[in-house]
Amino acid sequence: MNKKEIRKGILPYAALIVVMLLIIYFFNVLNLKVNVLTYDKFLGALNNNQVEELTILPSIDGGIYNISGKLKDYKSNEKFQTTAPLSDEVMKQITSANEKYEFKINAEGDPNGSPLLVILVNFLPIILVGGFMFYILSRQIGGNNKSFDFGKSRAKLDDSQKKVTFDDVAGLKEEKEELKELIDFLKNPKKFTKLGARIPKGVLLVGPPGTGKTLLARAVAGEANVPFYYISGSDFVELFVGVGASRVRDMFRQAKHNAPCLIFIDEIDAVGRQRGTGLGGGHDEREQTLNQLLTEMDGFGANEGIIIIAATNRADVLDPALLRPGRFDRQVTVNLPDIKAREEILAVHARNKILDKNVTLNNLARRTPGFSGADLENLLNEAALLAVRRNKDHITMSEVDEATDRVMMGPAKKSKKYTDEEKRLVAFHEAGHAVLGIKLSSANIVQKVTIIPRSYAGGYNMMVPKEEKYTATKRELLEQITGLLGGRVSEELNFGEITTGAHNDFEKATKIARAMVTEYGMSDLGPVQLEQQSESVFIGRDYNKSRNFSDIVAHEIDEEMRKIVGECYKQATKILKENSDLVKLIAEALLERETLTKEQIDYLVENKKLPPEEEGSKFEDMTLDELKDLAKEKEIKGYSKLSKDDLIRLLEANDVEVEKEDE
């Protein structure tokens, strides 16, 4: 803690002490009882040994003494006061009585010789109290209390030392190309104005969460090396109507003073939703804020050199006036990364991590379709945490596999115990999915099968597409449905019983079948779109669907869905009957190993048996200190500075045996 912070911490306590002392002083003054005595009574008390304490003060005007003090029968808050002629006779009487009775005398100097003393005594308390009250009020109205700052902008200027550039943004090649024009304009605007070109006033970044929209905006500011203001859309909206509009005005006023600059508004859908929607007709505060934002972006005034970048994952709910040319001229869609982009993102996040030589980023990118940049960063972080937890000095494929499962399905519930019958049923269920994934030519590739429960699933198949595509054929969709039904079919064929374990499979299969009939035109009803997503702006979600068909057509849709699912069920039954031995083989292997990888499944299909299990090191369960003690006991040199893995290799090279305790 520096000296400035220490002073700021002590100051309130010092001020509190001063106030308490002043309160005590004035309390004593107000409660003091003063008895006015005549000069004769004072002399009587003086000569009768009744005086306990005496204070003599010459008056400012001169000619008299102001005498005050306490008599012996007075209380603690009581004193007397009198006046006496300014003469030697008075002082002789007081001196004589003091020599006889020995009471306390306080003789003050002449106030005429020190006018400053009078000022201090009479006015210093008032000055101190007034100064303290002024200080408190100034602090309340100033920066410490935000009650008077409602209308001020909450946009913060990014003054971090480390600038984010496009080198820190992996993938997003086309998106970065779109935004390079903004950087060129901020660096050299004359190149554009010379040909009459107008740079977009606003750029809207649209995409799923975690795809890097905010990082991309920071990189634009870092590349352009201009002031970068950032704010969330929710920071504009307050309880009082008009506050948000005032903040918008103040934000643009600050930006004009620092032009050229960038303003980044995150989650703009919080303030930019369509006007006039919702119960009661709308939201006055949000709509006034939006109106002010529209005016500032492209109204009567000009905002030269100010570029707005906004991000949202709900562009469908934004007001049309916000998306017209002159406001957000350009929309840049930031999609989920493809395999090449995922490999680049993994390379960025693996810079500060120590990976085993067997961990290849290309293989990891192939196993993570549908992962966003944030998911990939979280995956490597989870793998690093697992490696630390296991006392390893680098991240192996084992940690990467476990981290992938954690991100997708949650942590394994190894403590959850199956009954033998339930475990066998789950094994055959997952084996049914795996066999259909192997036998169907257009199905996804089986990467991993496990019967270890995670989240709400008793087991699961990790299946990835052979290649990533933007479209899907009717055959591929039908085989996806067939693969999803494999678990239920396997249960029915092998046990003559069905369970609730396939409910999530049915949910996915039904969704695909309905989309084929109502949206994709892949049924006997013809190439027509019978349903479409209807955006409900009021609740901000795709809550319902608009129906463009009669009740008769609704019945035909249900029949077509049943037909598609029924045919896929028959196909799954046929394939699993023909490959019943393979289903049983994979199920028995799952009961033995609980988890099978793609390599193990391929070996199992080819050789009809599991590959020999790699034996783990006999030292794996020992701690680093235990390993060092063992090396010391066996008189092995050079062990003290080795890591756990290197020490294990050293012990194995010396054929050291571990003594097992008698059971």
Side-chain angles (χ1 to χ4, degrees):
M1 184 180 291
N2 56 36
K3 293 182 179 180
K4 186 176 180 181
E5 291 177 340
I6 293 173
R7 286 197 298 268
K8 290 178 69 176
I10 294 175
L11 188 60
Y13 297 102
L16 181 62
I17 292 172
V18 171
V19 172
M20 291 177 65
L21 291 174
L22 289 173
I23 291 172
I24 293 170
Y25 170 75
F26 283 111
F27 180 80
N28 290 333
V29 170
L30 292 174
N31 286 279
L32 186 63
K33 182 179 179 183
V34 179
N35 299 319
V36 180
L37 302 181
T38 63
Y39 181 64
D40 293 338
K41 288 184 178 181
F42 165 69
L43 289 177
L46 187 65
N47 295 324
N48 293 325
N49 192 20
Q50 296 180 1
V51 176
E52 181 180 342
E53 183 179 346
L54 205 62
T55 300
I56 304 170
L57 179 67
S59 68
I60 298 174
D61 298 334
I64 61 172
Y65 285 115
N66 289 317
I67 301 173
S68 61
K70 293 181 66 176
L71 300 182
K72 290 183 178 181
D73 58 347
Y74 277 9
K75 297 179 181 178
S76 61
N77 64 335
E78 191 175 2
K79 74 173 186 177
F80 71 86
Q81 187 174 349
T82 188
T83 57
L86 187 62
S87 65
D88 294 337
E89 184 65 27
V90 173
M91 292 304 296
K92 286 180 181 180
Q93 291 178 348
I94 295 174
T95 303
S96 177
N98 183 40
E99 290 176 353
K100 185 177 180 180
Y101 302 118
E102 294 183 354
F103 52 84
K104 186 178 179 181
I105 298 178
N106 299 316
E108 303 290 342
D110 186 4
N112 290 321
S114 180
L116 180 61
L117 181 63
V118 178
I119 296 174
L120 290 176
V121 170
N122 292 279
F123 298 105
L124 182 60
I126 300 174
I127 294 171
L128 288 175
V129 173
F132 178 74
M133 295 301 296
F134 177 78
Y135 170 77
I136 293 297
L137 287 174
S138 64
R139 296 277 289 181
Q140 290 292 320
I141 298 176
N144 286 345
N145 192 337
K146 301 298 182 184
S147 57
F148 293 92
D149 290 347
F150 273 157
K152 290 188 178 181
S153 171
R154 299 296 169 90
K156 298 177 182 178
L157 181 63
D158 184 13
D159 53 358
S160 57
Q161 298 294 327
K162 185 180 178 181
K163 296 291 184 181
V164 179
T165 63
F166 281 159
D167 293 335
D168 301 307
V169 183
L172 305 179
K173 182 178 179 181
E174 291 77 12
E175 290 82 353
K176 288 190 282 190
E177 288 293 334
E178 285 285 314
L179 295 171
K180 279 184 178 178
E181 287 185 1
L182 303 182
I183 300 169
D184 292 339
F185 173 77
L186 291 169
K187 288 183 175 179
N188 187 15
K190 292 183 180 179
K191 183 173 71 173
F192 292 85
T193 56
K194 182 179 178 181
L195 295 178
R198 179 183 63 81
I199 201 68
K201 293 186 177 181
V203 176
L204 184 66
L205 304 178
V206 184
T211 50
K213 300 184 291 295
T214 303
L215 183 64
L216 197 58
R218 290 175 64 92
V220 172
E223 291 283 344
N225 196 24
V226 296
F228 177 65
Y229 291 92
Y230 59 96
I231 190 172
S232 172
S234 60
D235 286 334
F236 290 113
V237 182
E238 282 287 354
L239 174 66
F240 305 107
V241 177
V243 172
S246 177
R247 289 178 180 174
V248 171
R249 288 191 296 270
D250 189 62
M251 180 182 70
F252 277 89
R253 180 185 59 78
Q254 292 181 29
K256 288 175 184 177
H257 291 314
N258 293 280
C261 68
L262 281 171
I263 298 176
F264 175 63
I265 305 175
D266 199 9
E267 305 297 344
I268 194 173
D269 51 280
V271 71
R273 293 191 179 186
Q274 293 183 23
R275 292 166 288 183
T277 57
L279 294 175
H283 188 292
D284 288 339
E285 163 62 358
R286 191 183 68 232
E287 292 180 7
Q288 283 199 21
T289 306
L290 175 59
N291 291 338
Q292 188 64 45
L293 182 62
L294 296 174
T295 303
E296 292 288 348
M297 288 188 69
D298 187 29
F300 291 104
N303 287 319
E304 297 296 336
I306 300 176
I307 296 177
I308 313 293
I309 301 179
T312 182
N313 52 11
R314 290 305 311 271
D316 53 306
V317 303
L318 295 180
D319 195 276
L322 201 59
L323 304 177
R324 75 157 175 82
R327 269 117 190 205
F328 285 105
D329 308 76
R330 185 175 297 176
Q331 290 190 34
V332 177
T333 302
V334 186
N335 287 318
L336 292 171
D338 57 12
I339 182 171
K340 184 179 179 181
R342 289 198 299 275
E343 185 176 356
E344 294 175 1
I345 293 170
L346 287 168
V348 169
H349 295 302
R351 288 174 183 171
N352 62 339
K353 294 176 177 63
I354 304 173
L355 299 177
D356 187 75
K357 60 183 179 180
N358 295 325
V359 179
T360 58
L361 299 181
N362 181 268
N363 184 33
L364 186 54
R366 290 181 181 278
R367 299 175 59 183
T368 51
F371 276 45
S372 67
D375 292 330
L376 295 172
E377 190 274 337
N378 188 38
L379 187 150
L380 287 181
N381 185 62
E382 287 286 347
L385 292 174
L386 286 168
V388 173
R389 197 178 305 165
R390 296 172 180 177
N391 294 319
K392 294 186 178 181
D393 56 1
H394 55 271
I395 301 170
T396 65
M397 202 64 200
S398 173
E399 285 77 44
V400 172
D401 280 338
E402 176 64 20
T404 305
D405 294 341
R406 279 172 172 264
V407 172
M408 294 178 64
M409 300 290 294
K413 297 182 178 180
K414 294 183 179 180
S415 61
K416 182 178 179 180
K417 299 298 182 183
Y418 286 125
T419 62
D420 292 339
E421 182 181 357
E422 189 179 15
K423 188 175 183 179
R424 188 172 182 81
L425 194 145
V426 172
F428 274 90
H429 180 105
E430 299 301 333
H433 287 303
V435 170
L436 288 175
I438 295 169
K439 295 300 179 180
L440 294 173
S441 60
S442 298
N444 294 338
I445 301 173
V446 179
Q447 284 285 347
K448 185 177 181 181
V449 186
T450 181
I451 58 173
I452 298 175
R454 290 179 184 271
S455 185
Y456 295 104
Y460 77 98
N461 273 263
M462 180 189 292
M463 305 177 73
V464 299
K466 295 177 181 178
E467 56 183 6
E468 295 182 33
K469 301 192 300 184
Y470 289 100
T471 59
T473 64
K474 181 178 180 180
R475 179 182 176 183
E476 290 171 344
L477 293 175
L478 290 173
E479 291 194 354
Q480 283 186 34
I481 297 173
T482 304
L484 289 167
L485 299 174
R488 167 58 68 84
V489 173
S490 180
E491 292 173 6
E492 191 173 2
L493 291 177
N494 291 282
F495 295 93
E497 187 63 85
I498 57 177
T499 69
T500 60
H503 72 282
N504 186 250
D505 299 332
F506 294 155
E507 180 184 348
K508 294 177 181 178
T510 304
K511 186 176 180 180
I512 295 173
R514 189 170 190 86
M516 290 177 66
V517 176
T518 62
E519 297 181 36
Y520 305 148
M522 294 180 177
S523 69
D524 293 340
L525 295 182
V528 291
Q529 189 179 54
L530 300 170
E531 287 182 350
Q532 61 183 0
Q533 300 293 337
S534 177
E535 296 84 5
S536 180
V537 179
F538 164 56
I539 55 176
R541 301 287 297 174
D542 296 339
Y543 189 76
N544 55 358
K545 294 183 177 182
S546 60
R547 291 174 37 142
N548 299 321
F549 49 82
S550 64
D551 293 337
I552 297 175
V553 176
H555 176 71
E556 293 177 354
I557 291 173
D558 294 338
E559 291 295 326
E560 286 294 322
M561 288 174 57
R562 290 194 187 95
K563 180 180 176 182
I564 291 173
V565 175
E567 290 176 354
C568 291
Y569 196 90
K570 291 178 182 178
Q571 179 71 3
T573 304
K574 178 183 177 182
I575 294 173
L576 292 185
K577 280 183 177 179
E578 293 173 354
N579 297 275
S580 58
D581 293 339
L582 183 58
V583 173
K584 185 176 181 180
L585 187 64
I586 294 177
E588 295 295 339
L590 282 171
L591 290 171
E592 180 183 343
R593 298 273 181 95
E594 289 190 333
T595 299
L596 298 176
T597 63
K598 179 181 182 299
E599 293 76 16
Q600 291 173 323
I601 293 173
D602 292 341
Y603 187 93
L604 190 64
V605 172
E606 184 177 349
N607 300 285
K608 306 303 180 185
K609 64 178 182 179
L610 279 170
E613 190 171 6
E614 295 182 3
E615 294 186 2
S617 174
K618 54 191 172 185
F619 306 105
E620 195 68 39
D621 295 332
M622 298 178 68
T623 65
L624 182 59
D625 291 336
E626 291 172 341
L627 292 172
K628 288 183 178 180
D629 292 340
L630 183 61
K632 182 179 179 181
E633 180 184 342
K634 301 299 181 181
E635 298 181 352
I636 298 174
K637 297 180 180 179
Y639 67 87
S640 58
K641 296 183 179 180
L642 294 179
S643 65
K644 181 178 179 180
D645 291 342
D646 292 336
L647 189 53
I648 288 174
R649 285 191 284 269
L650 180 63
L651 293 171
E652 289 175 343
N654 285 272
D655 296 326
V656 176
E657 294 295 330
V658 180
E659 295 181 3
K660 296 184 179 179
E661 297 180 359
D662 295 334
E663 295 182 357

